[in-house]
Amino acid sequence: MDFYHTHSSASDYRREELIKKIEHAVSNLTLEELEALYYDMTTKCYIND
């Protein structure tokens, strides 16, 4: 049971680390790049409006 808890904590930490890196990268995109990313993500069903 301790292994699962440790693994979960490590996974949670890694997830948060990746989210921060992605947020930073997205915040530096131009409007055109954001629109292209949005289009790509909606066509792949990562974003559903």
Side-chain angles (χ1 to χ4, degrees), residues 7-48:
H7 178 68
S8 177
S9 295
S11 294
D12 291 345
Y13 175 78
R14 181 64 177 148
R15 184 178 188 280
E16 291 300 318
E17 182 180 305
L18 289 171
I19 289 171
K20 287 178 186 177
K21 288 182 179 186
I22 292 168
E23 286 176 338
H24 177 74
V26 167
S27 70
N28 292 320
L29 295 177
T30 65
L31 177 58
E32 292 80 14
E33 292 168 328
L34 284 170
E35 288 173 336
L37 179 61
Y38 177 79
Y39 176 80
D40 188 50
M41 293 180 78
T42 55
T43 58
K44 292 179 179 173
C45 296
Y46 295 132
I47 297 175
N48 297 317

